[in-house]
Amino acid sequence: MAALQTRFFWTSSLVKHSSRTTQRTSLHCRNSLVPHSSWILHNRPLCLSSGHKTQETQPQEAERPAKKLFRELVSEHRAAIAQCITLVESTHRAKQAQARELLAEILAYLRKKTTENHGIPPSFRIGLTGPPGAGKSTFIEAFGKQLTEAGHKVAVLAVDPSSSYSGGSLLGDKTRMPELTRDMRAYIRASPTSGSLGGVARNTNDAIVVCEGAGFDIILVETVGVGQSEYAVADMVDMLLLLVPPAGGDELQGIKRGIVEKVDLILVTKADGELKIPSRRVKTEYTSALKLMRKRSAVWSPKVMQVSAVTKTGLTEAWDAMSEYRNIMVKYDLLLPKRSKQHRIWMWNHIRDNIMDIFRCHPDIGPELPRMEAEVDQGRITSGMAADILLGRFRARMSWHDNDL
Ligand SMILES: Nc1nc2c(ncn2[C@@H]2O[C@H](COP(=O)(O)OP(=O)(O)OP(=O)(O)O)[C@@H](O)[C@H]2O)c(=O)[nH]1
């Protein structure tokens, strides 16, 4: 356990701070209809500021709700974390204005902390993906406990859009991690219940910021290894881990090649008892598979390691590899640019999702869509022509016309 602590060299003076501006503008984009990103930073939402009184009429102004929540969050009031996450997930308009204000406060606070720490962000964001049954929650429970015992504060968040449809696996579900749930140095948040992957991903991105504001220095983001959620998580974290079970065939247990190309560390789970030998074989398979893949980074080659959450073997070594990765990213000034790039990706994802919704719900477009799709299906019109017609109709009805641009 001492090893876990002493090898955690995060404060390097080698790194220069490089991407504050990009982070600031992109992470705030809470609503794609906001006209300019700086508006959020420099103006309080109109609905809140309109009732502002002068000192003469109201000498003791009540503390604004977002300000109060922020103060409680950074003072590490435990209840404030859930309140803040609920606020940033809210779809209520007035609450969204408060959420913007809260996130702006947290981001400013985190920027300050990053600057004070020579440009190194105060948290390490680690994504965990893997097929159902790979042993993710058991690993998080054992690994998370080791980290908290070594003095870290660990937040566990989840990206699982399937849970909102099927009521099925609730990642981050407290019953799956009983010890970590009771641990005061840990915080576990089940998957948000809002619908689409885009919505869930957006909530998770904001929840990461809240947890960082609350002082969690390790943020574990768990996802199911199905659908698109595993790709989404890759763009939310500093490092991506793939957990694979020791059983399976020659096809790398059906794990998509695409995700293997994105991972930074592969952990073959359940390396204990009778599963020790299959686990070693799977490790060899993945090591060979990685050698055949195109090298993604000049500074880091993904590793494959064996772990057992039951016997707790390999956990310290896995943490050492994670710390090494982070230290390398910091040393070569790659961590903040990686985050900036991710924030930009998500800003455009949210804008795209919102604009698609506006387009589909437009009164001149929505009713036309089934007919247009049928025409395209039957080959009466090309897909390009159909898109041109619909977009032309949409553009004609928007308040901004080509002449205004
Ligand atoms: N022998 C052994 N079994 C393990 C280990 N880790 C997990 N398991 C078992 O593997 C099964 C699945 O573990 P989970 O942690 O629930 O796996 P998961 O990836 O979170 O699965 P989902 O909840 O379906 O996504 C359980 O029966 C665990 O007891 C391990 O290190 N060794």
Side-chain angles (χ1 to χ4, degrees), residues 131-138 171 176 222 224 270 272 275 308-310:
K136 295 182 293 297
S137 44
T138 314
L171 288 178
R176 298 161 77 230
E222 182 193 7
V224 277
K270 310 181 194 181
D272 52 58
L275 293 170
S308 165
V310 168

Side-chain angles (χ1 to χ4, degrees), residues 343-354:
H343 300 157
R344 202 177 280 226
I345 288 171
W346 285 110
M347 181 186 84
W348 283 110
N349 285 348
H350 300 324
I351 290 174
R352 196 190 53 230
D353 287 353
N354 273 283

Side-chain angles (χ1 to χ4, degrees), residues 161-362:
S162 65
S163 64
S164 48
Y165 299 124
S166 61
S169 64
L170 259 181
L171 288 178
D173 188 342
K174 296 181 177 181
T175 57
R176 298 161 77 230
M177 301 168 197
E179 276 197 54
L180 214 50
T181 304
R182 286 195 297 272
D183 191 329
M184 291 309 285
R185 298 191 66 80
Y187 175 75
I188 301 174
R189 176 83 178 179
S191 185
T193 49
S194 59
S196 66
L197 174 60
V200 171
R202 177 209 173 119
N203 287 338
T204 309
N205 273 317
D206 288 347
I208 289 174
V209 173
V210 168
C211 289
E212 285 181 350
F216 290 94
D217 62 334
I218 315 266
I219 319 263
L220 303 177
V221 186
E222 182 193 7
T223 180
V224 277
V226 290
Q228 290 298 310
S229 60
E230 55 187 339
Y231 293 99
V233 86
D235 284 326
M236 288 178 189
V237 293
D238 303 328
M239 181 176 202
L240 184 63
L241 270 53
L242 173 65
L243 272 66
V244 289
D250 308 330
E251 297 275 320
L252 301 182
Q253 293 86 43
I255 290 159
K256 283 171 244 136
R257 189 188 159 88
I259 202 67
V260 179
E261 285 172 350
K262 282 180 171 282
V263 299
D264 304 300
L265 178 63
I266 297 177
L267 298 179
V268 185
T269 54
K270 310 181 194 181
D272 52 58
E274 287 178 358
L275 293 170
K276 214 169 181 169
I277 291 168
S279 155
R280 198 174 309 136
R281 182 178 48 76
V282 170
K283 181 189 167 191
T284 311
E285 278 177 24
Y286 274 94
T287 307
S288 310
L290 284 176
K291 281 193 189 127
L292 299 174
M293 286 182 184
R294 194 171 51 88
K295 204 166 158 52
R296 258 189 313 133
S297 161
V299 297
W300 178 259
S301 300
K303 298 180 190 309
V304 189
M305 307 177 91
Q306 290 168 267
V307 290
S308 165
V310 168
T311 59
K312 302 198 173 32
T313 44
L315 300 184
T316 303
E317 289 79 1
W319 175 242
D320 286 347
M322 291 177 224
S323 302
E324 186 191 347
Y325 171 88
R326 184 175 156 122
N327 288 335
I328 286 175
M329 293 294 279
V330 164
K331 181 176 169 189
Y332 291 99
D333 201 4
L334 295 171
L335 197 58
L336 284 175
K338 181 172 181 169
R339 286 192 180 188
S340 299
K341 196 174 157 200
Q342 293 173 337
H343 300 157
R344 202 177 280 226
I345 288 171
W346 285 110
M347 181 186 84
W348 283 110
N349 285 348
H350 300 324
I351 290 174
R352 196 190 53 230
D353 287 353
N354 273 283
I355 288 186
M356 285 296 282
D357 284 348
I358 294 168
F359 183 78
R360 283 181 206 279
C361 297
H362 193 281

Side-chain angles (χ1 to χ4, degrees), residues 32-45:
S32 62
L33 298 176
V34 171
H36 195 283
S37 55
S38 62
W39 177 91
I40 302 164
L41 284 168
H42 303 299
N43 297 281
R44 286 179 167 167

